[in-house]
Amino acid sequence: MSKSIKVVRGMHDIVPQQSPTWQHLEGCVRQVVQGYGYDEIRMPIVEKTALFVRTIGEVTDIVTKEMYTFEDRNGDSLTLRPEGTASCVRAGIENGLLYNQIQRLWYSGPMFRHERPQKGRYRQFHQTGVEVYGLGGPDIDAELIMMTARLWKLLGLERLELQINTLGAPVARAAHREKLIEYLEQHRDVLDEESVLRLEKNPLRILDSKNLAMQAMIEGAPQLLDYLDEESSQHFDSLKALLDGAGIEYRVNPRLVRGLDYYQKTVFEWVTTDLGAQGTVCAGGRYDGLVEKLGGKATPAIGFAMGMERLVALIEDRGLAVPGLAPHAYLVLVGDSAVAQGLLLAEQLRNALPRLRLRTHCGGGSFKNQMKKADKSGAQRVLILGEDEIAQQQVTVKHLRDGPPQASLSVDALVEYLKEQLLSH
Ligand code: ATP
Ligand code: MG
């Protein structure tokens, strides 16, 4: 026997038992984004490597060590997308969607990062992202947060904490950065190896460190909030007022920075303590400079991305109800003549009842064996077509879980029965 080939480390199949949760989550996401009038955009999974280097930032974790980069046959350097924002901006500029326009967009799909796999951290994972272009005020920041809050409510995910912060305008960040580097230099002895590397290139990220030995030093570091420019400060105050008005609770976390370079002003994360260390289920922020940096006209922009695996894990951990996708009915076919008639009967039922989930038995086998398969399918009803039924132009219907007693029905009566019993809600 030859050795089996296994899935790539850090990548996962989503098997049929998990699909109902995924479909439920995706359905709720769709309902919410559409409820706010957002349009879907779909970008390729592969982009030119330069796109991510230029947008995410040369010294970020993603670009320095997490990208799946390979050479195309013509020598181009290509990368499996590690996130969606860069592609979305590229696509927006390239398709003329951003010039003097407002766009409210969303997308969903797999992302790839070569990280150390652990719970909630994978090498292929899925994000749903929302990006808005052409709106610079705090009203849209608030709308995005309200949108996510509505989604949690729809999913029944209570107890998520909203953390917000502002990174200020680039000038304010620069002034703070200078002071911060000065401070960190003075405390070089407590910095871990990674932080020493980040010291010059991305000092803000050091404040985000989870290293307990550095916490006291981090507590005393100069805070960006103290260096804020007037405009960013007002923007942040207005956002807070809008959230207060909407009854959305939040915590200002002055140390909230994002792992990507392009953010300024508002940043936010939705966090849970229920998933262990990987507690951020949704993260976003404003990136007003990015469109211009990629060759477009200066355009304000804000967006967020949700980690779908983490949301699925939360839904599962909390045992939230998810609509089942098992067939409503399983059609058992007894005897050779029943096969062709059965396939036609199934088509007739599907024609009459477009929402019906009907699985037809294929592959023959004894009645007992077919009944076992019907039960295993999770169906509510079994429909039986055998010689007697064919002779009488009827179908036998039986419940498999609970329901009315066995009955023999004409096709028309069966349609009514299924509609009433299984499709009325
Ligand atoms: P983290 O701090 O957890 O590494 P990040 O700042 O790298 O997150 P973003 O790039 O902002 O994350 O991605 C948005 C969301 O996508 C995260 O909040 C998380 O829910 C999810 N996510 C990010 N990386 C992974 C991964 N490797 N596996 C699963 N989900 C992920
Ligand atoms: Mg990360």
Side-chain angles (χ1 to χ4, degrees):
M1 225 166 74
S2 54
K3 203 164 171 253
S4 63
I5 297 174
K6 295 275 173 21
V7 72
V8 176
R9 186 166 136 83
M11 304 199 178
H12 294 275
D13 303 304
I14 295 167
V15 295
Q17 296 95 292
Q18 301 166 310
S19 297
T21 311
W22 278 85
Q23 290 200 21
H24 174 61
L25 172 59
E26 289 162 353
C28 290
V29 166
R30 214 172 263 265
Q31 183 182 326
V32 169
V33 292
Q34 287 174 353
Y36 284 74
Y38 284 56
D39 298 316
E40 187 184 6
I41 182 166
R42 301 189 187 198
M43 297 82 66
I45 285 171
V46 179
E47 297 273 1
K48 303 250 175 74
T49 302
L51 175 69
F52 301 116
V53 176
R54 215 198 288 176
T55 54
I56 298 170
E58 254 164 275
V59 296
T60 56
D61 286 352
I62 293 181
V63 171
T64 53
K65 51 189 188 204
E66 295 173 1
M67 295 204 303
Y68 279 90
T69 297
F70 60 96
E71 198 173 285
D72 199 359
R73 285 164 199 270
N74 66 359
D76 285 352
S77 179
L78 303 182
T79 293
L80 295 182
R81 63 180 184 195
E83 56 111 45
T85 305
S87 309
C88 192
V89 173
R90 194 239 350 108
I93 296 172
E94 201 164 340
N95 293 287
L97 304 177
L98 306 187
Y99 192 81
N100 285 348
Q101 290 176 69
I102 292 170
Q103 291 288 349
R104 295 156 125 116
L105 304 174
W106 70 279
Y107 54 83
S108 199
M111 306 292 162
F112 304 83
R113 297 184 194 176
H114 198 275
E115 304 202 65
R116 191 170 67 79
Q118 54 195 290
K119 189 178 181 220
R121 198 172 286 289
Y122 311 106
R123 291 184 174 174
Q124 172 171 334
F125 60 101
H126 297 77
Q127 285 184 340
T128 295
V130 169
E131 317 283 354
V132 178
Y133 301 96
L135 294 170
D139 48 355
I140 190 68
D141 303 20
E143 175 171 287
L144 289 191
I145 290 173
M146 288 177 194
M147 177 192 274
T148 46
R150 179 174 295 276
L151 177 62
W152 313 145
K153 203 165 168 197
L154 185 63
L155 290 165
L157 290 177
E158 314 299 337
R159 307 195 310 275
L160 288 181
E161 184 188 57
L162 172 63
Q163 299 184 4
I164 59 173
N165 190 22
T166 179
L167 301 180
V171 271
R173 279 176 76 168
H176 168 254
R177 187 190 151 99
E178 216 169 281
K179 290 282 178 237
L180 182 61
I181 293 178
E182 216 170 89
Y183 174 87
L184 293 169
E185 290 281 8
Q186 285 163 10
H187 296 82
R188 217 188 167 95
D189 50 323
V190 279
L191 295 184
D192 56 20
E193 208 177 313
E194 196 168 35
S195 301
V196 172
L197 288 175
R198 284 172 169 163
L199 187 53
E200 289 298 331
K201 293 180 167 163
N202 198 355
L204 210 52
R205 192 72 165 134
I206 299 178
L207 302 184
D208 198 27
S209 167
K210 313 260 176 336
N211 185 343
L212 289 177
M214 288 172 33
Q215 294 311 308
M217 181 278 297
I218 289 172
E219 292 287 344
Q223 294 208 349
L224 187 53
L225 280 178
D226 297 330
Y227 291 80
L228 271 196
D229 52 296
E230 187 56 28
E231 200 208 328
S232 297
S233 177
Q234 272 176 17
H235 185 108
F236 197 47
D237 287 343
S238 310
L239 170 61
K240 285 186 285 184
L242 289 167
L243 294 177
D244 291 336
I248 294 180
E249 285 178 38
Y250 56 84
R251 181 163 75 80
V252 176
N253 175 0
R255 291 210 300 278
L256 182 68
V257 298
R258 311 290 343 287
L260 302 85
D261 272 1
Y262 49 60
Y263 289 108
Q264 52 178 288
K265 288 189 179 160
T266 310
V267 289
F268 65 94
E269 289 193 2
W270 287 94
V271 184
T272 170
T273 49
D274 296 359
L275 292 175
Q278 313 323 321
T280 302
V281 294
C282 173
R286 186 163 274 288
Y287 52 98
D288 291 345
L290 193 60
V291 176
E292 197 176 12
K293 199 167 176 188
L294 279 181
K297 184 184 158 205
T299 305
I302 180 168
F304 66 79
M306 299 181 257
M308 301 295 269
E309 277 78 4
R310 294 185 193 176
L311 288 169
V312 165
L314 261 189
I315 293 169
E316 286 174 353
D317 284 5
R318 295 188 184 177
L320 299 176
V322 164
L325 294 173
H328 294 111
Y330 191 102
L331 176 58
V332 160
L333 305 173
V334 201
D336 290 341
S337 57
V339 173
Q341 296 225 28
L343 286 169
L344 289 182
L345 168 66
E347 290 307 310
Q348 247 179 308
L349 294 175
R350 293 187 190 106
N351 286 344
L353 303 166
R355 287 196 304 120
L356 179 69
R357 295 191 299 271
L358 171 65
R359 188 178 293 175
T360 305
H361 183 84
C362 284
S366 69
F367 177 70
K368 198 171 150 207
N369 181 288
Q370 293 192 36
M371 286 300 283
K372 262 194 201 150
K373 292 217 163 71
D375 189 47
K376 209 173 154 218
S377 75
Q380 298 294 316
R381 299 285 186 281
V382 59
L383 313 180
I384 301 162
L385 190 69
E387 270 153 35
D388 291 351
E389 282 86 2
I390 291 173
Q392 288 159 27
Q393 300 210 335
Q394 288 198 323
V395 182
T396 301
V397 51
K398 267 179 151 170
H399 68 79
L400 282 165
R401 323 277 146 199
D402 49 54
Q406 174 171 334
S408 289
L409 304 173
S410 69
V411 175
D412 286 346
L414 179 61
V415 166
E416 285 313 307
Y417 172 100
L418 293 172
K419 201 196 283 181
E420 213 164 276
Q421 295 274 321
L422 301 174
L423 300 170
S424 59
H425 41 264

